[in-house]
Amino acid sequence: MLSVSLPSLMSDLQTLLTFTDSLIHVKTGKHLSDLQRAILAESLQASKKTYQQIAEIYNYSPKYIQQVVASRLWQLLSNELGEKVTKTNVRSVLERHITGQKLLPDEIDIPPAIKPVSILLLENNVLTKSSQAPPLKGEDAMRDSQSRTDAEMREASSRIASSISASVGVTMTEEVWNSPPLPAIAPELPTGSVSPASSLYLERAPYDSRCYQEIAQPGALICLKAPRQMGKTSLMNRILSHAATLDYNTVLLDFQQADTEILSDLDRLLRWFCASLARQLHLDAQLDNYWDEDLGSKMSCTCYLQEYLLLECDRPLVIALEEVSTLFETLSVAQQFFSLIRSWHEKTKINPLWQKLRLILVNSTESFAYIPIIQSLFNVGLEIELPPFNCQQVQELAERHGLSLSSEPLKMLMAFSGGHPYLVRLTLYHMLRTGLTLEEFLKNATSDTGFYSDHLYRYWWYLQQRPQLIAAFQKVLDCPQGIKLDTLEGFQLKSLGLIKWDGSQASISCNLYWHYFSHHLR
C-alpha cells in the first residue's frame, strides 16, 4: 500500500475543494457549480451548517438545497469515489482518497482507464514530497511548507496530465490542470430570487444604488413594490448584503412562515414578530417581561423594541419584511400592523435610539388589485416600484447567459416579454438548455403545457375571481394601440402587471399576455 504523510493537506479546505472539483471535471467535463461548491464547503467545515442555514445564506429554499442540489452532489461523488458519500462523511471520504488510505491492495493491478485521480496523484509523488525537506520551525516552516507544496503541485502537473488523459479519455494539459474552476454559466431554473453573489444578478440603475444610500441613513424605511417575479426579493437580499458590509445587524422575516392563526390575530402576530427578531439576533425572547395586557399589543411591541432590542444592539438594526401581502387576508390586522410601522418611522425622526432601526418592506402590488386601500399603507419612506428590464439590460443578461442576440431577436424578445425579469430569465434559460433559436422557442410559448404555463395560469385564475376585471381587460386586448380605462379597473390591472400606461392610454404589457388571453378569455 502506498504510504502518504500529509496532515497539512488533510486540513486544507481549499485543497479538498480543488481535488473534488478536479475529480468531477476530469470525469464529467464539468466543474462544480457555485451552489454545489458552497454546499460542499459548508459540509467540510468542522461545525457544519444545516441545510436550512445554507438555504438562508444563499437565498434558496431548504427543500431545493437538500433534495435537489445536495442530493445530486452526494450521488455524483458516491459514483466517482466508489462509496456512499453524505454531508456527514464527505470530509473523511475525501481525505481517505487523497491520502491513499482507500486505495485498492497492491496485488490488484488497476488498469489506467479506471484508476482514480487520487492514485495518479500518489503514483506521481504529488502528495508525498512535502515530508522530504529538512524541518523548519515556526512561521518559516509554514511559509516553506506552502511554497514547496505549491511548487511540487506545479511540477507534478505536467507529469500527471498524460496519465489523466489516458485514464479518462480527456485531453488534459498542464494549463488546464492548474487553472481554477471556470465560471461556466449553468443557470438554474429561475424559480426564485437571484443570489446576491450570482453573476446573473442584474443591477437596475438607479434603484440599487439609491437603496444602498438610503439604508445607510438613520431611521431608513424602504418600500419595494412590484408585481410578482419582478425582482423585489433579489433586490432586498442585495440591500441586506450591503447592510452587512456596513457591519449592521440584519434580520429577515418572511410572513409566509407564520401560521395562519398567527396572521389573523394582532396580539399573536406581534409576539411572533418580536420572538422571531430576538431569535435571529441570538437573544432570549423575554416576551413576558415586556408584554402588558393593560398597554395592549402595539404598545407592548413598541416597548419591546425600544427598551430591549434596540438597546441590546450596539449597531444599526435592519429588519426586512418579506411577503407582507400575506397579512391582507385579515385586513384589520394588516391596517393595525402597518400603522404601527408608520409610528415607528415617525419616532426615528426625533429619537436617536429609534434611528438605529432601518426597515425594508417587500410587497407584491397584486394585493392592491383586490383591496385598493392597501396602497395607502405603503405611502411612507422611500418607495421603489421596480420596472421591467429595458432593452440594454435584456441584452446584457443574454450575454451573461452566454447568448448573443442580434438586433431583431432582441426586439422580438422585448416585445414578447415586455422586459419582465422572470419571463426574460425563463426564456434565456430554456434557450440555453434546448439550443433552440428564439423564433423556434416562441412557437409554442402560449400553449397550456409550455414553459410559461404556470405563470399564465396564475393570472388566468386571478381574473376568474374578478369578472369585472375580465371585461376591462378584454377592452385592452381588443385595442392593442391603447385605450382609456376606468381609474379603478386600470389601477387594478396595472397592479397585476397585465397592462402598462402611456399617458392616459392603457395597453397590454407584452405580446405573451396578448396571445394567451386573446384565446383564453373569449
Side-chain angles (χ1 to χ4, degrees):
M1 183 76 68
L2 291 169
S3 176
V4 178
S5 176
L6 196 59
S8 62
L9 182 63
M10 291 176 62
S11 61
D12 186 346
L13 175 63
Q14 187 56 49
T15 298
L16 292 172
L17 289 171
T18 302
F19 169 79
T20 306
D21 185 81
S22 299
L23 174 66
I24 298 303
H25 181 260
V26 167
K27 292 290 186 180
T28 69
K30 297 180 180 179
H31 290 284
L32 294 173
S33 69
D34 291 342
L35 190 54
Q36 287 176 322
R37 193 176 181 88
I39 292 173
L40 179 60
E42 297 292 358
S43 302
L44 291 172
Q45 303 288 350
S47 177
K48 303 179 189 294
K49 288 185 172 63
T50 65
Y51 287 123
Q52 174 74 37
Q53 292 171 322
I54 296 173
E56 291 175 356
I57 292 172
Y58 296 97
N59 195 35
Y60 288 89
S61 72
K63 183 177 181 180
Y64 178 72
I65 290 290
Q66 180 175 3
Q67 298 183 14
V68 179
V69 184
S71 176
R72 291 175 181 173
L73 175 60
W74 306 143
Q75 186 60 54
L76 180 61
L77 289 176
S78 298
N79 294 340
E80 300 306 330
L81 296 175
E83 64 177 290
K84 185 175 179 59
V85 179
T86 67
K87 181 171 180 281
T88 304
N89 72 354
V90 61
R91 185 179 186 103
S92 61
V93 171
L94 290 175
E95 287 178 345
R96 286 199 305 274
H97 277 266
I98 287 180
T99 59
Q101 296 173 19
K102 190 65 179 177
L103 300 183
L104 297 174
D106 289 336
E107 60 270 16
I108 298 179
D109 184 23
I110 308 174
I114 63 171
K115 287 187 179 181
V117 175
S118 52
I119 296 180
L120 294 172
L121 291 171
L122 288 161
E123 288 180 346
N124 286 276
N125 294 322
V126 176
L127 304 181
T128 57
K129 286 189 175 181
S130 60
S131 61
Q132 298 174 4
L136 296 175
K137 297 181 178 180
E139 295 183 0
D140 289 338
M142 294 175 63
R143 285 193 297 268
D144 180 74
S145 176
Q146 183 62 51
S147 175
R148 284 186 287 105
T149 298
D150 292 345
E152 290 156 6
M153 291 293 285
R154 288 193 298 270
E155 177 185 347
S157 295
S158 59
R159 296 200 309 272
I160 67 175
S162 58
S163 297
I164 295 176
S165 299
S167 174
V168 297
V170 176
T171 301
M172 199 71 172
T173 66
E174 180 178 357
E175 179 182 358
V176 172
W177 176 256
N178 283 321
S179 64
L182 298 175
I185 292 295
E188 296 163 352
L189 186 65
T191 54
S193 59
V194 183
S195 168
S198 173
S199 61
L200 296 180
Y201 180 84
L202 197 64
E203 289 204 6
R204 284 184 271 183
Y207 305 104
D208 291 60
S209 59
R210 182 70 183 89
C211 289
Y212 300 156
Q213 295 170 6
E214 185 66 20
I215 205 64
Q217 301 303 311
L221 194 160
I222 301 172
C223 294
L224 302 179
K225 303 184 294 186
R228 290 190 181 278
Q229 300 176 314
M230 287 288 289
K232 303 181 299 300
T233 300
S234 298
L235 176 54
M236 176 200 70
N237 290 332
R238 293 279 287 200
I239 300 171
L240 288 174
S241 180
H242 177 74
T245 66
L246 300 177
D247 201 29
Y248 293 173
N249 293 295
T250 61
V251 175
L252 170 60
L253 298 185
D254 185 347
F255 284 92
Q256 291 184 117
Q257 296 181 343
D259 295 341
T260 302
E261 296 78 8
I262 291 175
L263 296 174
S264 60
D265 183 287
L266 182 64
D267 183 70
R268 295 188 65 182
L269 172 66
L270 295 181
R271 288 179 69 91
W272 174 85
F273 176 82
C274 292
S276 298
L277 290 177
R279 185 179 184 84
Q280 292 197 40
L281 292 170
H282 306 291
L283 297 171
D284 292 332
Q286 299 187 22
L287 289 179
D288 293 337
N289 294 340
Y290 296 89
W291 230 256
D292 189 323
E293 291 184 3
D294 295 328
L295 292 178
S297 300
K298 291 197 289 186
M299 181 60 75
S300 296
C301 183
T302 300
C303 292
Y304 188 84
L305 261 70
Q306 179 171 308
E307 300 172 12
Y308 183 40
L309 293 188
L310 292 176
L311 283 178
E312 288 289 334
C313 293
D314 57 355
R315 296 166 286 158
L317 171 60
V318 180
I319 303 175
L321 307 179
E322 188 176 15
E323 292 295 345
V324 296
S325 59
T326 309
L327 290 175
F328 301 134
E329 294 294 327
T330 307
L331 185 57
S332 61
V333 171
Q335 289 176 310
Q336 293 190 73
F337 180 82
F338 288 109
S339 68
L340 184 59
I341 295 290
R342 279 179 172 272
S343 72
W344 294 345
H345 184 57
E346 290 300 316
K347 287 179 180 292
T348 66
K349 298 177 181 178
I350 56 175
N351 189 321
L353 180 63
W354 279 91
Q355 288 177 357
K356 295 195 317 188
L357 179 65
R358 321 288 164 89
L359 292 167
I360 307 171
L361 307 183
V362 182
N363 185 48
S364 297
T365 56
E366 292 172 357
S367 58
F368 300 167
Y370 307 126
I371 314 175
I373 192 175
I374 290 174
Q375 167 71 12
S376 63
L377 299 176
F378 292 87
N379 292 334
V380 60
L382 173 65
E383 295 183 76
I384 299 290
E385 185 162 1
L386 290 178
F389 287 152
N390 58 36
C391 192
Q392 181 178 355
Q393 291 166 331
V394 172
Q395 177 73 71
E396 181 178 349
L397 191 59
E399 292 174 355
R400 294 190 187 187
H401 281 74
L403 298 170
S404 179
L405 297 180
S406 59
S407 177
E408 286 307 312
L410 181 60
K411 290 179 182 178
M412 184 187 304
L413 179 55
M414 282 298 298
F416 169 79
S417 67
H420 190 293
Y422 172 73
L423 295 179
V424 171
R425 285 191 61 211
L426 191 65
T427 304
L428 295 175
Y429 168 83
H430 284 295
M431 285 179 62
L432 191 64
R433 190 178 68 86
T434 62
L436 297 175
T437 65
L438 181 61
E439 186 173 7
E440 292 171 333
F441 180 76
L442 297 183
K443 284 182 179 179
N444 299 315
T446 59
S447 70
D448 290 330
T449 58
F451 295 121
Y452 308 97
S453 57
D454 290 343
H455 178 84
L456 295 169
Y457 179 78
R458 179 168 54 85
Y459 277 125
W460 180 88
W461 185 88
Y462 284 159
L463 290 173
Q464 296 304 309
Q465 313 310 306
R466 296 293 185 275
Q468 73 279 11
L469 285 185
I470 294 181
F473 192 40
Q474 190 66 64
K475 295 177 183 177
V476 178
L477 294 173
D478 293 338
C479 298
Q481 71 276 12
I483 189 176
K484 287 187 178 182
L485 285 180
D486 174 80
T487 302
L488 177 58
E489 294 170 343
F491 169 77
Q492 292 176 321
L493 289 172
K494 173 67 165 59
S495 297
L496 286 170
L498 290 173
I499 68 168
K500 58 186 178 181
W501 287 101
D502 184 7
S504 61
Q505 300 291 303
S507 59
I508 197 76
S509 293
C510 62
N511 287 348
L512 172 63
Y513 297 161
W514 187 86
H515 285 291
Y516 180 81
F517 290 108
S518 292
H519 173 71
H520 283 75
L521 292 182
R522 295 190 186 281

